[in-house]
Amino acid sequence: RESGFYRFTYTVSGIAGCVDNSATITVAIGGYPGISGPTGAACTDSFVYDLFHVFNGAFLSPQSNGTWHNDTTNSRVKGSEIDPKELGVGTYQFTYSIPAIGDCAGPVSWKVSVTVYRAPEAGSPTNLLLCSSDDLSIYSNLDLNEQLSGEDPNGLWTDNENTGEITTRNDRFINIQKIYETQGAGIYTFTYTVSNTPHPICKIDTAKVRIRIEKRVDLTGATLVVSSDICEPDMPRATYSAKITSGANVIPNGQYNVTYKISGPSSETNTALLNFNNGETTFPLPAASFQKVGQYKIEIKEFNAFETEGGCANISNNLSDDLTIHPIPKIDVAKLIIDPICQNKS
C-alpha cells in the first residue's frame, strides 16, 4: 500500500554447536499513483470529499503515501480531502505524486479532475410563535415563502399535520386563524422541498417552517385557598397546602409551572410543577416557610404551561390568600384581683 524499502530476514537456527545464522534482503517498492476514473463529482452541500474516490476501481489502488496538489488553485491539499463548499462551483484539477524510491524514478504522478456542483437551497426558515389572544386574522392569508430566506424558487410545500391548508401542488398560502379555530392550540409545521438537483451527487434540500399557537391562561375568577390557619403551639407538626380552582375560563388539563410568593414574617418565592385536572390542583406549601407567628400572604405570580415558549402573557389576576399563625395568649405578668366578699353574699 506504500512505496519504500522493506527488509526481510531469514534465520537458520537450532543446529547443535553452531551459532544461529541469518541473512537480510531489501526490497524497494517504487511509487504507483493509480489510474483515475472519469471526472469526480462533489456538491456544495458537502464539507468533505476524498480525492481517492476518483480512482478507477477496476485497477490496482494507488499507494497511500503520496501528496495531493490543487493545480487549479496552485495550493497543497492537506491529506486527501477537499472541502467542496469552500471551493465553490467549478471543475478542479489535482495531481497525486509519490516520491522516488532508490533506483525507482520519481516523483510519479497522476492527474484527476473533480467538478463541484451547486446544491439546491431550500433556504433558512423563520418560525412563528403566536398566542390565541393575538389578532390571528392578520395571518389569514400567510405566504409561507415569506417565512424563508435564501431559498431556490419553484419548490413545493408539504402540510405535515394535515391541516388542509395546502390544497394544490403549488399552493403556498395558509390561514392560521382557521387552523386555530378548527385544530386548536398546537404546533404546525410545513416543509419546503427543492428537488432540482444539477447532479445526482447533490441531495434534495428541505426547510421546515414551524408555527406554534399557544393558548393564553386566564385566571380571572379563579380562587386560591390556603389551608390552614393554626395557633402557635401547633407549628412543629403543622402542614400547609394551597388549592387553585379555575373560574369561568377553565384551565385545560396538563402540567403547569406555577410561581408563588410568600410574604409576611418571612418572604420567599418558589416554583412548582403542578398537574391541573378538571379545573383544579392542590399543592403543598413548605412548612419551613411558616416558622413565625403572624399573617402570611401567598400570591400566584406566574402561571405557565410546562412546555410553553412564552407566546402568551397569561393573566394571574392577583390571585392570593392569607394564612395566619395566631400567637398563644400570654399572662406571665398579669395580676388576678379578687374583691373581698361577705359569706352570705352570692
Side-chain angles (χ1 to χ4, degrees), residues 51-119:
L51 291 169
F52 283 116
H53 288 165
V54 187
F55 287 96
N56 193 328
F59 298 90
L60 185 65
S61 299
Q63 292 169 332
S64 61
N65 61 314
T67 58
W68 284 99
H69 183 267
N70 187 331
D71 303 332
T72 304
T73 62
N74 191 26
S75 58
R76 188 174 180 272
V77 177
K78 184 178 180 180
S80 63
E81 295 178 339
I82 59 173
D83 184 341
K85 190 176 184 68
E86 181 181 345
L87 285 175
V89 176
T91 299
Y92 300 85
Q93 182 172 283
F94 300 87
T95 298
Y96 183 59
S97 302
I98 299 177
I101 299 295
D103 295 335
C104 299
V108 290
S109 61
W110 196 275
K111 293 185 181 298
V112 302
S113 294
V114 177
T115 298
V116 179
Y117 296 90
R118 180 186 178 276

Side-chain angles (χ1 to χ4, degrees), residues 50-328:
D50 196 318
L51 291 169
F52 283 116
H53 288 165
V54 187
F55 287 96
N56 193 328
F59 298 90
L60 185 65
S61 299
Q63 292 169 332
S64 61
N65 61 314
T67 58
W68 284 99
H69 183 267
N70 187 331
D71 303 332
T72 304
T73 62
N74 191 26
S75 58
R76 188 174 180 272
V77 177
K78 184 178 180 180
S80 63
E81 295 178 339
I82 59 173
D83 184 341
K85 190 176 184 68
E86 181 181 345
L87 285 175
V89 176
T91 299
Y92 300 85
Q93 182 172 283
F94 300 87
T95 298
Y96 183 59
S97 302
I98 299 177
I101 299 295
D103 295 335
C104 299
V108 290
S109 61
W110 196 275
K111 293 185 181 298
V112 302
S113 294
V114 177
T115 298
V116 179
Y117 296 90
R118 180 186 178 276
E121 293 286 349
S124 300
T126 300
N127 298 325
L128 279 177
L129 177 60
L130 304 172
C131 182
S132 60
S133 61
D134 294 339
D135 182 9
L136 298 181
S137 64
I138 63 177
Y139 302 101
S140 61
N141 194 36
L142 178 69
D143 185 348
L144 286 170
N145 281 4
E146 293 182 355
Q147 299 303 119
L148 297 174
S149 60
E151 78 280 7
D152 290 342
N154 304 319
L156 301 177
W157 285 98
T158 303
D159 182 351
N160 300 319
E161 275 68 48
N162 297 317
T163 63
E165 287 301 305
I166 301 298
T167 56
T168 63
R169 176 180 173 81
N170 296 312
D171 191 5
R172 66 176 197 265
F173 294 92
I174 63 170
N175 186 338
I176 294 181
Q177 183 178 35
K178 182 179 177 182
I179 292 175
Y180 176 70
E181 291 173 350
T182 58
Q183 309 278 340
I187 298 174
Y188 304 92
T189 59
F190 299 84
T191 300
Y192 184 69
T193 303
V194 180
S195 57
N196 55 332
T197 61
H199 190 282
I201 195 71
C202 295
K203 302 173 185 177
I204 293 173
D205 195 29
T206 61
K208 183 182 290 185
V209 172
R210 179 178 180 271
I211 299 170
R212 176 163 188 174
I213 309 171
E214 294 187 347
K215 184 175 178 59
R216 184 175 69 176
V217 176
D218 187 352
L219 295 181
T220 301
T223 58
L224 173 68
V225 177
V226 177
S227 299
S228 61
D229 293 352
I230 62 168
C231 287
E232 183 180 0
D234 299 324
M235 281 197 298
R237 57 184 179 276
T239 58
Y240 311 92
S241 65
K243 180 179 181 180
I244 301 175
T245 304
S246 58
N249 301 301
V250 178
I251 301 171
N253 293 346
Q255 290 187 309
Y256 294 84
N257 279 315
V258 178
T259 299
Y260 61 92
K261 180 179 180 181
I262 300 173
S263 57
S266 62
S267 181
E268 64 180 78
T269 300
N270 299 315
T271 298
L273 179 60
L274 307 180
N275 287 306
F276 234 86
N277 190 33
N278 295 326
E280 63 182 34
T281 186
T282 300
F283 59 99
L285 297 174
S289 302
F290 306 98
Q291 294 299 309
K292 295 180 180 179
V293 170
Q295 187 175 60
Y296 296 83
K297 181 179 182 181
I298 295 85
E299 182 180 9
I300 303 299
K301 305 299 290 185
E302 294 183 16
F303 194 100
N304 298 305
F306 174 60
E307 295 182 343
T308 183
E309 295 178 26
C312 294
N314 295 330
I315 301 174
S316 59
N317 199 38
N318 298 320
L319 191 60
S320 65
D321 192 20
D322 294 331
L323 182 146
T324 302
I325 299 178
H326 300 281
I328 188 172

